[in-house]
Amino acid sequence: MNNLKDLNIEKEILPLFDHSLNAFAKKKILDILSNPLSSVGEITQRQNILKGFAENHKILKDYSYTVLFVNEVYFFLNNEKIEDLSQKKWRYKLFASRQEKTKYLSKFNQLILFFFRLESRYFTRLNLESFPKEYSSSIQRILHFLSLFELYKYEYIIREKRLQDKHIIELTKKVANLQKEELIQTFWEDFFLFEAYLSIHFSILNNDFSFPKFTDNSIKLSDFYHPLLTNPVKNNFETNRRVIVMNGPNMSGKSTFLKAVALCVYFAHLGIGIPATTGEIPFCDYFSIEINRRDNIMNGYSHFMTEVLHLKNVIEQASSGKRCFAVFDELFNGTNVEDGFEICKTTINGLSKFDNSFFFISTHIQELKNVTNEQTANYYIDCKLINNNPTFTYQLKKGWSDIKVGRILFEKEGLNKLLE
């Protein structure tokens, strides 16, 4: 099972993609964001679906309806017992209570007006050839379902007159047939998935995300950034090394860089576009993102033991043949410096042997500067000293940073004098 807690998908990522009009579509979006696809073919399929939405953007850009209607219609069709009144139409006409007739009239008014808006303004105007054939059939199912209600006919009756008993009886028969053929739940599944894709399309467009290509042995990102930052600094990154070791002072942006790379790689595997101008990304089938580390209080583990177990799990996945993408922020910072250096050195050298995976490690252990081999590379986020003041540029550079900001800030706050 992927280790994705530190991506904060529901709290941070979902709001980025959620333009939904109801809780059902929102749940679909969360499901999409929580489950990376299992093959490049599936990823390409979803990319093409979203490209189809882009080609139909002119029709869908103002997609809207009365939100109350979708909830009312959903629960009416799914949760209420709707009898086929055609089997007892005279009893209904002569003896049904005013309350019952008012209920049916109100519910079918909402249903017709809601479905008519969907059909006339959006679904019948879509260019289905813009979508992959498999997904086009899903939209065709929606169209077929809507067509069964003869919406133009009943919308005209509502607009010019009002629904009469005979119309209510006709409509209950239609719903009964749909229930019998088990088409109602299929319609909602198709419909809410459509809205989930539409919502994701809006985010891709608004954020100018791009669809990456997939490669075997390298990562290449141009002008990539962390999509949750208001004014992010964009960077370029390219590597075919298996282990990337990052260092640099606190506050320089190491964790932000790691999160940005992780989101690019992860979003690519969702098929939803990435926060970069272009991207080339290897296909992976296991993800472990350790950025905001914390004690596992429920199990009684310290930071260090939690890291050990997560690392063990990644190694077991890689050893079983999984193509892993893993991020370890400040690996083994929870133990003493001597132990930290030795086990980080062993970890870096060991992980570099898995030639189908990529591992990103940030560290404050300066001695790791010389732990290199053909499958490792060192990077840092630039920090300049201007008049002995640390100035963070947030620009990625290859190599190693020897700047020790801690001592500078300690002195600037006058702690050396206070502690004399």
Side-chain angles (χ1 to χ4, degrees), residues 341-354:
F341 169 69
E342 289 298 330
I343 58 181
C344 278
K345 177 181 176 181
T346 301
T347 298
I348 291 168
N349 287 329
L351 292 178
S352 66
K353 297 175 183 177
F354 294 106

Side-chain angles (χ1 to χ4, degrees), residues 92 96-110 162 165 168:
Y92 175 77
S97 68
R98 182 175 180 180
Q99 182 181 11
E100 183 181 5
K101 288 190 175 184
T102 300
K103 182 195 78 169
Y104 274 126
L105 182 65
S106 171
K107 297 299 184 181
F108 277 116
N109 274 338
Q110 288 179 325
R162 73 190 297 267
D165 287 348
I168 298 297

Side-chain angles (χ1 to χ4, degrees), residues 17 25 36 40 90 99 101 118 177 231-232 254 327 336 350 373:
F17 290 95
V40 174
W90 289 111
Q99 182 181 11
K101 288 190 175 184
L118 294 178
N177 288 335
N231 295 301
K254 297 189 302 298
V327 174
N336 65 73
N373 59 51

